Amino acid sequence: MPGAAGSPTAGCRPRPTANAPGAPRVSPPCRSPRRKALACQLPAETGVPLSRWSCPELAAELIARGITDSVSASTVRRWLREDALKPWQYRSWIFIRDPNFRAKAQRVLDLYARTFEGVPLGEDEYVLSSDEKTSIQARCHCHLTLAPGRARAMRVNHEYGRGGALAYLAAYDIHRAKVFGRCEPKTGIMPFMALVEQVMTQEPHASAKRAFWVVDNGSSHRGQRAIDRLASRFPNGAMIHTPVHASWLNQVEIYFSVVQRKVVQPNDFTDLTQVGDRLRAFEDRYNATAQPFQWKFTTSDVDDLLARLDRHTPADRQEESSVALAA
């Protein structure tokens, strides 16, 4: 009898098929690459009017194309997870256009390490990181903000009235962790030079051997004219520009992010005077306890960044970028 003792089939169970309960889920091998290829394409390239795929949209498209007969969004999510694909996410980047990117970045990073042109900075030399934070609005909410309570977050009313906007200009002494700021109706050359005047007429910068001003390429302090303008007014001042599209190398942006989180958002200001008073009060509070930022990005990191960009740059742009960086 089949299955009797001594029989070749004794103790054996029939092997489960793909449709049997408890069997591993099996997809036709010829179709798996097709669904993965679809997930790795931009929807617009396939004629679908979407900016990016979601799991339900991808499941519907797989069925519409006949790649699979029936599939749920959760199954698509599992497939994508197995291949570490997340087509609903995206990251942005920008190509380096500054032909002197590395040299400019190295000069800024050397200043952060208290070195300029290979020579260590003296005790009477300072590095100031400066920029403007534009359009800080005075928003007065239509209902009072509710303080947080037990198992309840702070509640801020969505409706508000506008009371105008101002610009906040700041210079950050990176090695002393001291901020000098001022509020202006708008940005421009004159407001920026007013900040320079405020800082450079105070000690220790007034009698410093050199005070380096690290700035980005904003219109208030762009190019050789801005360098000459600073030097003519303060001979001990030296303006150093970050590379184009690299304001993230400017340490004052870290301070501005602190201001955004702790002062600006969420806010409830009745007018611009209240905004200015709050910013100046925060400066005093910050300067009382601040420590220099632990800056860890070095020239070696710049080289690694450029190498990664070259690996992801199309051949025609790569050749152009390599020639520019070698010049």
Side-chain angles (χ1 to χ4, degrees):
M1 296 178 58
S7 169
T9 60
C12 294
R13 298 178 180 176
R15 299 181 65 181
T17 63
N19 297 324
R25 298 175 181 175
V26 179
S27 298
C30 62
R31 293 188 176 184
S32 179
R34 294 181 62 190
R35 72 186 184 215
K36 187 186 302 186
L38 182 63
C40 291
Q41 283 184 288
L42 297 176
E45 293 178 348
T46 66
V48 178
L50 297 172
S51 61
R52 46 187 164 156
W53 293 116
S54 66
C55 290
E57 295 283 1
L58 198 53
E61 190 65 19
L62 287 169
I63 296 172
R65 290 172 179 263
I67 297 176
T68 185
D69 296 332
S70 177
V71 66
S72 65
S74 60
T75 299
V76 170
R77 186 175 292 107
R78 177 174 56 81
W79 288 346
L80 296 174
R81 185 169 58 249
E82 290 171 355
D83 290 319
L85 295 175
K86 299 178 180 179
W88 52 86
Q89 293 186 355
Y90 71 94
R91 296 176 64 182
S92 61
W93 87 97
I94 188 169
F95 283 106
I96 291 176
R97 295 194 295 107
D98 195 325
N100 299 314
F101 183 91
R102 193 192 185 285
K104 291 181 180 180
Q106 179 175 354
R107 187 165 54 170
V108 171
L109 295 174
D110 285 349
L111 284 173
Y112 292 168
R114 295 197 61 81
T115 301
F116 183 69
E117 295 181 348
V119 180
L121 298 184
E123 293 296 324
D124 57 348
E125 293 181 293
Y126 301 89
V127 181
L128 296 154
S129 174
S130 181
D131 202 4
E132 305 100 341
K133 184 173 177 60
T134 61
S135 191
I136 300 180
Q137 298 185 40
R139 296 178 174 180
C140 184
H141 295 274
C142 298
H143 296 278
L144 293 177
T145 297
L146 300 179
R150 184 176 181 181
R152 187 189 70 200
M154 178 194 303
R155 296 184 180 181
V156 181
N157 180 241
H158 180 72
E159 294 182 295
Y160 57 85
R162 298 178 184 270
L166 55 73
Y168 179 50
L169 290 75
Y172 173 70
D173 189 323
I174 68 166
H175 297 124
R176 297 195 304 143
K178 185 174 177 61
V179 176
F180 306 86
R182 65 185 296 113
C183 296
E184 296 283 354
K186 59 182 180 179
T187 61
I189 293 175
M190 292 183 63
F192 177 76
M193 289 306 296
L195 174 68
V196 173
E197 190 85 18
Q198 173 185 334
V199 175
M200 295 297 288
T201 54
Q202 298 182 42
E203 295 296 345
H205 307 107
S207 59
K209 178 182 178 181
R210 280 187 300 186
F212 295 94
W213 284 73
V214 177
V215 297
D216 61 16
N217 295 273
S219 59
S220 303
H221 34 69
R222 179 187 301 159
Q224 187 62 43
R225 288 186 178 182
I227 296 174
D228 297 340
R229 191 182 304 118
L230 173 63
S232 63
R233 179 66 185 89
F234 297 100
N236 63 336
M239 184 172 288
I240 306 296
H241 287 96
T242 63
V244 176
H245 295 318
S247 58
W248 47 271
L249 286 174
N250 205 346
Q251 285 199 29
V252 75
E253 301 297 343
I254 305 176
Y255 171 71
F256 282 155
S257 72
V258 175
V259 171
Q260 181 69 24
R261 296 193 308 271
K262 295 192 173 186
V263 181
V264 176
Q265 192 176 23
N267 63 29
D268 195 0
F269 301 120
T270 57
D271 53 38
L272 291 178
T273 300
Q274 194 175 23
V275 177
D277 292 343
R278 181 76 61 84
L279 288 168
R280 283 185 288 271
F282 180 76
E283 274 182 34
D284 295 338
R285 180 185 180 90
Y286 183 87
N287 287 334
T289 59
Q291 298 291 326
F293 298 128
Q294 296 182 7
W295 187 268
K296 298 181 180 180
F297 193 83
T298 66
T299 51
S300 297
D301 297 311
V302 171
D303 291 336
D304 291 341
L305 173 64
L306 295 176
R308 291 201 307 272
L309 288 175
D310 277 344
R311 288 196 295 269
H312 295 285
T313 301
D316 55 341
R317 285 184 176 270
Q318 184 174 0
E319 182 179 355
E320 177 184 346
S321 175
S322 300
V323 171
L325 292 172

